[in-house]
Amino acid sequence: MAISAAVVILPLGVLFFISGLVVNLIQAVCFALIRPFSKNTYRRINRAVAELLWLELVWLVDWWAGVKVFDHSSAQSVNFAGKEHALVVSNHRSDIDWLVGWVLAQRSGCLGSALAVMKKSSKVLPVIGWSMWFSEYLFLERSWAKDENTLKTGLLRLKDFPQPFWLALFVEGTRFTKAKLLAAQEYAASTGLPVPRNVLIPRTKGFVAAVSHMRSFVPAIYDVTAAIPKSSPPPTMLRLFKGQSSVVHVHLKRHMMKDLPETDEAVTQWCRDMFVAKDALLDKHLAADTFDNQEQQDIGRPLKSLVVVSSWACLLVMGTLKFLQWSSLLSSWKGIAFSAFGLAIVTVVMHILIRFSQSEHSTPAKVAPMKPKSSGELSDSGQHKQQ
């Protein structure tokens, strides 16, 4: 990490790390003292507490970097968003797709109950991973033999969730790159599948499992297509921390869960057809830098995240000054060394967070279960392998 970037990231990292530990502590206390007696009460409290942490990252997008998110969704889709349980399926174009999803969830009023499927090792990450665990994210090992029952249990556990939630899946299994697209095209050509141009071939087994277990209590699937205009640089976590803006266009199409076919094979084909349609939609965006037939709306940047971050910053500054006054920490070389060590830890944690967002194993549903042995699959390196 460049020194200049570290200088910018460090104060943001200190704020996020300290406030995150406070959030984790509150979540842990509520988990131990409230959840055994009332799971719904715990979930409602945790939703509000987790949102205080997630809003810091929304602030990073909205206010620090000034990323512009333009919504091309239909009025009907917008009216339902945040008022119902939904399975959210998106293509995966950039490092911050998951953050764009959080921005949309925040605008819809369900940021605190925006969930995702994650790699199991993610839950041990300080602050963000711990908070996701308390918030009932689904953590898998990317081995269907181990994950099948874990996924089923986690999905059914959401059946009595008291407030509208979004569960995010990136069924392509990895972030889009030209190399992975080439491998997907070669595989599609050799197996008779439609050859993709702007997406990868979806890994359908996790999607099929989600539909199978959730169709009785989740009324809708949100088909999200994200695109980056040719005039905008691709957004990355490092660009966000540096305060460098980008533009993202989002198209959301709502599908009724009851309209999906009943058999697993038909649901598999439905998912593939959805990505064929998504590919065609991205073709139109590539040609015109916009999605067709939908009015473009700038979703703006609400004050809520700015208020939350400002409040956290004031509390941190006041608390730090009080602590330094009480402890005289900077009055000795030992205290200065201890403080420097603490700042170094925060820098490392924030570096891990950036790597976490960039890693192809770290975003929601990149750990989607693999297909049955009778079908082919694309590995994360983009190479075809038989299961």
Side-chain angles (χ1 to χ4, degrees):
M1 184 187 303
I3 295 178
S4 58
V7 170
V8 174
I9 291 171
L10 185 56
L12 299 179
V14 170
L15 178 64
F16 183 76
F17 187 73
I18 301 299
S19 61
L21 291 179
V22 173
V23 167
N24 290 161
L25 178 60
I26 296 173
Q27 289 177 304
V29 170
C30 292
F31 184 86
L33 300 182
I34 297 177
R35 193 178 187 280
F37 303 100
S38 176
K39 185 166 65 173
N40 280 349
T41 301
Y42 164 77
R43 282 169 160 173
R44 291 178 185 275
I45 294 173
N46 183 79
R47 169 176 167 154
V49 173
E51 187 173 354
L52 293 176
L53 183 62
W54 303 151
L55 278 169
E56 293 185 53
L57 296 176
V58 171
W59 169 86
L60 194 69
V61 175
D62 283 342
W63 292 94
W64 181 257
V67 174
K68 293 287 187 180
V69 180
F70 291 95
D71 186 9
H72 297 256
S73 307
S74 66
Q76 181 190 39
S77 300
V78 172
N79 289 338
F80 277 100
K83 300 179 178 65
E84 61 184 353
H85 298 331
L87 178 63
V88 181
V89 180
S90 177
N91 63 320
H92 193 11
R93 297 290 299 190
S94 73
D95 287 352
I96 69 162
D97 289 335
W98 59 288
L99 270 179
V100 172
W102 276 3
V103 168
L104 296 176
Q106 190 272 328
R107 305 300 196 268
S108 300
C110 61
L111 175 61
S113 52
L115 311 174
V117 180
M118 307 289 291
K119 187 180 179 183
K120 186 177 180 179
S121 60
S122 302
K123 68 180 179 181
V124 304
L125 288 173
V127 177
I128 190 168
W130 299 344
S131 192
M132 287 176 174
W133 185 87
F134 284 120
S135 299
E136 301 182 71
Y137 278 57
L138 279 62
F139 296 96
L140 304 180
E141 298 185 40
R142 204 163 194 165
S143 167
W144 187 237
K146 299 178 180 179
D147 291 335
E148 182 176 13
N149 187 62
T150 302
L151 182 63
K152 177 181 178 181
T153 302
L155 293 171
L156 294 178
R157 188 174 61 235
L158 300 176
K159 191 172 185 178
D160 60 350
F161 208 90
Q163 296 163 299
F165 68 80
W166 289 3
L167 179 66
L169 295 174
F170 288 104
V171 297
E172 289 167 294
T174 185
R175 189 171 60 250
F176 180 93
T177 66
K178 291 183 178 179
K180 292 168 187 173
L181 175 62
L182 179 60
Q185 290 172 333
E186 292 174 351
Y187 173 56
S190 67
T191 56
L193 293 173
V195 177
R197 299 168 301 280
N198 310 288
V199 296
L200 304 181
I201 298 172
R203 298 180 175 188
T204 57
K205 194 159 183 96
F207 177 80
V208 171
V211 170
S212 174
H213 297 308
M214 300 175 76
R215 68 163 72 232
S216 65
F217 63 94
V218 173
I221 293 175
Y222 292 172
D223 173 10
V224 176
T225 303
I228 302 166
K230 294 188 289 289
S231 58
S232 172
T236 66
M237 281 298 292
L238 191 55
R239 283 183 58 84
L240 286 187
F241 280 113
K242 289 181 176 180
Q244 297 172 338
S245 184
S246 297
V247 177
V248 180
H249 290 178
V250 177
H251 179 278
L252 188 153
K253 183 177 182 180
R254 180 175 179 267
H255 301 277
M256 294 296 294
M257 186 76 81
K258 65 181 182 180
D259 294 336
L260 266 66
E262 295 294 329
T263 67
D264 289 353
E265 292 77 11
V267 172
T268 295
Q269 188 58 51
W270 188 93
C271 182
R272 290 173 177 166
D273 292 343
M274 175 174 61
F275 269 78
V276 170
K278 193 184 297 289
D279 201 13
L281 186 63
L282 287 167
D283 271 339
K284 294 177 180 178
H285 186 278
L286 189 63
D289 254 5
T290 187
F291 295 113
D292 64 336
N293 300 326
Q294 298 293 347
E295 182 180 351
Q296 175 176 294
Q297 297 181 354
D298 185 347
I299 65 173
R301 48 178 187 177
L303 289 173
K304 189 173 184 179
S305 63
L306 181 62
V307 171
V308 167
V309 169
S310 299
S311 300
W312 276 123
C314 290
L315 289 173
L316 178 61
V317 171
M318 291 172 59
T320 300
L321 292 176
K322 289 290 185 181
F323 176 74
L324 292 176
Q325 183 180 16
W326 169 78
S327 65
S328 301
L329 190 63
L330 300 182
S331 62
S332 67
W333 285 109
K334 184 181 293 186
I336 294 173
F338 179 80
S339 301
F341 178 71
L343 292 176
I345 291 177
V346 172
T347 303
V348 170
V349 169
M350 294 309 296
H351 182 66
I352 292 173
L353 177 60
I354 294 174
R355 293 292 297 274
F356 163 77
S357 69
Q358 293 173 334
S359 167
E360 63 183 8
H361 295 289
S362 61
T363 47
K366 287 187 178 183
V367 291
M370 308 299 284
K371 291 182 180 179
K373 291 184 178 180
S374 60
S375 65
E377 189 58 272
L378 288 174
S379 70
D380 283 350
S381 63
Q383 301 300 314
H384 174 251
K385 64 179 180 182
Q386 291 289 339
Q387 299 298 309

